[in-house]
Amino acid sequence: SFADRPCAYFPAYELVMDELRDYRYYAADMLHLSDVAIDYIFERFQSVLISQESMIFSKNIEKIQKSMHHRPFNSNSQEYIKFLEATIQEINRLAFNFPNLNFKDELEFFENKLSKI
């Protein structure tokens, strides 16, 4: 039942009304929040309601996702090979530490890149 679950309130509205009153925190239409304001609110939300371990994990996943979009100047360089190998190691480490998550696609992506060199 809902009575057994802890409940928390995050004061997003209050942050907007009290801390983000300046017009620079609004988009051009002056109705919606700007990306800066959204990022500020989300950072505050994270710091209060998301564990440090989860935030570190999220940053690691984000780094892997960004690595998938990396375009090297020279795809045959030693630096790029090291980059691919390090990313594969990081994926394997995450897969080991979080066996319930599926990193198959990411691993295949980087292994495929490495095999073409």
Side-chain angles (χ1 to χ4, degrees):
S1 79
F2 287 110
D4 299 334
R5 297 181 187 164
C7 183
Y9 173 75
F10 179 74
Y13 177 80
E14 288 80 358
L15 286 172
V16 172
M17 292 291 108
D18 296 340
E19 296 181 28
L20 305 177
R21 292 182 294 208
D22 196 307
Y23 287 118
R24 66 185 163 161
Y25 295 113
Y26 287 87
D29 65 6
M30 300 305 282
L31 294 173
H32 297 94
L33 294 176
S34 69
D35 290 340
V36 172
I38 292 168
D39 290 343
Y40 177 82
I41 293 167
F42 187 67
E43 285 175 18
R44 296 285 300 268
F45 176 83
Q46 281 183 314
S47 69
V48 173
L49 295 172
I50 299 177
S51 72
Q52 189 68 26
E53 180 184 76
S54 294
M55 289 184 356
I56 291 168
F57 176 72
S58 177
K59 288 186 189 302
N60 288 332
I61 297 297
E62 185 178 349
K63 183 178 176 184
I64 290 170
Q65 292 296 316
K66 286 181 179 179
S67 295
M68 292 177 80
H69 298 289
H70 177 70
R71 302 289 178 247
F73 289 117
N74 179 1
S75 59
N76 294 321
S77 70
Q78 282 301 113
E79 290 82 14
Y80 185 61
I81 293 170
K82 288 179 185 177
F83 166 78
L84 293 173
E85 290 172 342
T87 305
I88 290 170
Q89 282 182 329
E90 178 64 16
I91 292 169
N92 286 328
R93 184 186 70 76
L94 287 170
F96 179 78
N97 290 332
F98 301 94
N100 56 331
L101 298 179
N102 183 350
F103 293 99
K104 181 179 178 267
D105 293 341
E106 291 83 357
L107 195 56
E108 282 180 6
F109 177 87
F110 289 105
E111 288 176 341
N112 186 25
K113 294 268 187 191
L114 192 58
S115 70
K116 291 182 179 179
I117 297 176

